[in-house]
Amino acid sequence: MDIHSLISQYGYAALLIGSMAEGETITLLGGVAAHQGLLKFPFVVLCVALGGMLGDQVLYLVGRHYGTRVLYRFRKHRKHISRARKIIISHPYLFVIGSRFMYGFRVIGPVLIGISRLPPRIFFPLNILGAAIWATLFTTLGYLGGEMVMPWLHQLNSHIKHLIWPGLLLVVVALIIWRFWWKKKRHKHAKK
């Protein structure tokens, strides 16, 4: 099985899951895969938009229910958070749509929106609109950039077969080392 068949088989699921957590990189790669003909452009946009929307919806709900506890973990960024909260108060609709485009606010943005108590009936449609714009833009950028990365993908495909077995071996060794380390650590704590 080569990389092209893996992308064709699991690409949409990977896009959906990846766009929930990270976003731009996975979306750009989805656009590249659509350019290569491995995935269909409209379905890439749909999967990425859905994943981005679901991820932000969960973070929004976390902000509504556990906001102050979550913000405590970001206390190093108090200045940026304070500025973002002022923007949310003055332009909540624009912030909901634009937070996914603001560097560093991919995770904290929806949490702050949830803390701001913007009603779900307002957040939900704006979240869908923002996710659709974001997914279309970054998928299109990946699609247009697909021509530049095409030679690199062909090289990767020829080398990937040689990297799979050493990669799997490395993962197995790392898991074994981690397991023994974890047992040793638990054993030390049990003695205390």
Side-chain angles (χ1 to χ4, degrees):
M1 188 174 265
D2 67 350
I3 192 167
H4 292 131
S5 57
L6 286 172
I7 292 170
S8 296
Q9 189 170 1
Y10 301 109
Y12 297 117
L15 287 170
L16 179 69
I17 294 167
S19 61
M20 286 175 147
E22 193 275 320
E24 286 79 12
T25 305
I26 195 82
T27 306
L28 290 168
L29 290 174
V32 171
H35 181 272
Q36 299 295 314
L38 301 171
L39 302 173
K40 303 243 183 272
F41 184 85
F43 294 130
V44 170
V45 172
L46 182 65
C47 287
V48 169
L50 182 61
M53 187 272 301
L54 289 173
D56 283 7
Q57 195 68 38
V58 167
L59 292 170
Y60 166 80
L61 293 173
V62 166
R64 280 188 67 85
H65 298 288
Y66 308 104
T68 53
R69 286 183 257 170
V70 172
L71 272 187
Y72 183 74
R73 297 190 180 269
F74 292 94
R75 62 186 176 270
K76 295 179 199 171
H77 307 286
R78 209 172 309 147
K79 183 179 171 184
H80 298 295
I81 289 171
S82 176
R83 190 168 4 126
R85 289 178 108 172
K86 288 176 186 174
I87 296 171
I88 292 170
I89 291 168
S90 61
H91 304 292
Y93 299 171
L94 289 176
F95 192 85
V96 171
I97 293 170
S99 66
R100 68 184 77 241
F101 295 98
M102 297 164 56
Y103 180 75
F105 281 93
R106 180 78 172 108
V107 173
I108 194 69
V111 173
L112 291 172
I113 296 164
I115 292 170
S116 77
R117 297 311 218 190
L118 185 71
R121 72 180 187 285
I122 294 173
F123 177 78
F124 187 66
L126 291 173
N127 185 25
I128 292 171
L129 177 62
I133 293 168
W134 172 79
T136 303
L137 176 69
F138 280 96
T139 303
T140 301
L141 288 173
Y143 188 88
L144 295 174
E147 193 64 40
M148 292 186 293
V149 295
M150 198 165 150
W152 179 79
L153 284 177
H154 287 298
Q155 286 179 346
L156 177 66
N157 189 36
S158 65
H159 295 296
I160 196 118
K161 295 170 189 161
H162 302 293
L163 297 174
I164 288 176
W165 290 112
L168 286 175
L169 181 63
L170 185 65
V171 168
V172 168
V173 169
L175 286 172
I176 291 169
I177 290 170
W178 179 79
R179 181 175 166 87
F180 285 116
W181 173 80
W182 182 255
K183 275 187 176 181
K184 188 176 178 180
K185 187 176 179 179
R186 277 195 347 202
H187 184 68
K188 280 185 182 180
H189 287 294
K191 285 184 176 181
K192 291 183 181 180

